[in-house]
Amino acid sequence: MTTGVRLPRCLVLLASYNGAQYIGEQLDSILAQRGTDVSVLIGDDASTDATLHIVEQMQAADRIRVLRRNVGSGSAAQNFSQLLRDADFSGYDYVALSDQDDIWLPDKLRRAIDSLAASSAGGYSCSVLARWEDGTESVFSQSPCLREADFLFEGAGQGCTFVMTASLFETVQAVFRQRPDLTSLLIYHDWAIYALARVQHIAWVFDAEPLMVYRQHAENDTGARHSIDGVRRRLRLLANGRYARQVAAVCELCLHLVPDERRSSEWKRLQTSTAILQRIGKALFCLRYGRRRSADRLLTSIAAIVGWL
């Protein structure tokens, strides 16, 4: 018997590149989401394996669209950035992000949507169950303890857990379209999304419940933060200056959206100080306003003192 109740519509943006090993299982888990009307828009970065063939063979092909690129964007972040610019989300209530190699639990989207509605928030992220190829598992969560400028130095957890209201996504899409000069510098697109929400004082939900399996394997773009490879990647980002460039790009995106945003303006002013004053000022800024976890604030402060930030 049909009740006539309209299910919330959610568009899932999935970035793919040579994901044949996992993408079928991931798509099955997305299309099996309960209590939502789900469609998937895939941005394929010129895959050379069977990724697109697998997608074409999916029985629910009418709920999947693919934007094929003849030339790859160069990274997962830029693949997603292009998707954020190109997505037509008219008629959708929510927009979610997805990697190609995870597994969503059946109530992931509905729990996110209910959480957003209950809190009047604009963005949502959840914990993940990291699973390694040897079967080892560990839950990874994000600290919900907001700091005044945490958004300048980190995102809201794994972007593959993000769900946004259509209203927030509209703003994000507009900024990504208006400032390709800045978004082309991003190594974490999801971090920028979180920052654009925070500078507008849009609430964000951090859900402690792990609602997806976060596969850990050799091809991971980032990987779990506490894994050895994940730690090594993050240290390299600090040492080679890419983290500092990400912070600078996010700061400029925030000021593009909210030109007088206090902490972004303060961080930008520090860039004009003399070298020693800049390092000290940045270190103190990180300690006072930076990342949500105290250990992370200390690490970024040290990075500032040694000139990595």
Side-chain angles (χ1 to χ4, degrees), residues 5-209:
V5 176
R6 177 185 176 276
L7 295 176
R9 298 194 68 208
C10 184
L11 177 64
V12 177
L13 305 183
L14 187 153
S16 68
Y17 174 69
N18 286 354
Q21 185 173 358
Y22 304 113
I23 196 168
E25 190 174 6
Q26 169 68 309
L27 285 170
D28 282 339
S29 73
I30 293 172
L31 296 174
Q33 291 296 295
R34 295 190 285 232
T36 59
D37 182 358
V38 184
S39 298
V40 184
L41 178 63
I42 299 174
D44 186 75
D45 238 0
S47 290
T48 57
D49 67 356
T51 295
L52 292 176
H53 176 72
I54 292 170
V55 172
E56 289 169 356
Q57 299 304 306
M58 300 288 291
Q59 291 184 350
D62 59 319
R63 296 165 63 192
I64 302 173
R65 289 182 295 132
V66 182
L67 300 178
R68 305 187 185 203
R69 305 189 189 103
N70 295 323
V71 179
S73 64
S75 71
Q78 290 310 307
N79 189 341
F80 270 113
S81 293
Q82 191 63 50
L83 260 178
L84 293 171
R85 286 190 287 268
D86 294 344
D88 178 2
F89 65 103
S90 55
Y92 289 94
D93 307 298
Y94 300 91
V95 177
L97 305 184
S98 172
D99 288 344
Q100 65 183 0
D101 53 359
D102 302 319
I103 303 171
W104 288 11
L105 301 188
D107 294 313
K108 176 187 180 297
L109 280 184
R110 187 66 205 214
R111 182 179 172 101
I113 290 168
D114 289 345
S115 298
L116 290 169
S119 61
S120 298
Y124 167 98
S125 54
C126 67
S127 299
V128 299
L129 178 65
R131 179 181 294 167
W132 283 263
E133 293 177 300
D134 64 1
T136 302
E137 295 182 343
S138 183
V139 174
F140 289 103
S141 59
Q142 294 294 316
S143 170
C145 302
L146 301 184
R147 308 284 293 186
E148 279 193 55
D150 65 337
F151 58 87
L152 288 176
F153 305 102
E154 64 181 336
Q158 283 76 21
C160 51
T161 71
F162 279 22
V163 182
M164 295 166 272
T165 61
S167 176
L168 173 57
F169 185 76
E170 183 176 17
T171 298
V172 169
Q173 184 174 75
V175 172
F176 270 68
R177 286 176 172 176
Q178 292 161 5
R179 297 306 305 266
D181 58 318
L182 294 174
T183 56
S184 66
L185 303 175
L186 296 173
I187 51 176
Y188 296 114
H189 58 288
D190 43 358
W191 173 351
I193 291 170
Y194 173 64
L196 293 173
R198 286 292 310 282
V199 295
Q200 296 178 89
H201 305 290
I202 294 174
W204 194 279
V205 176
F206 293 87
D207 191 346
E209 186 71 18

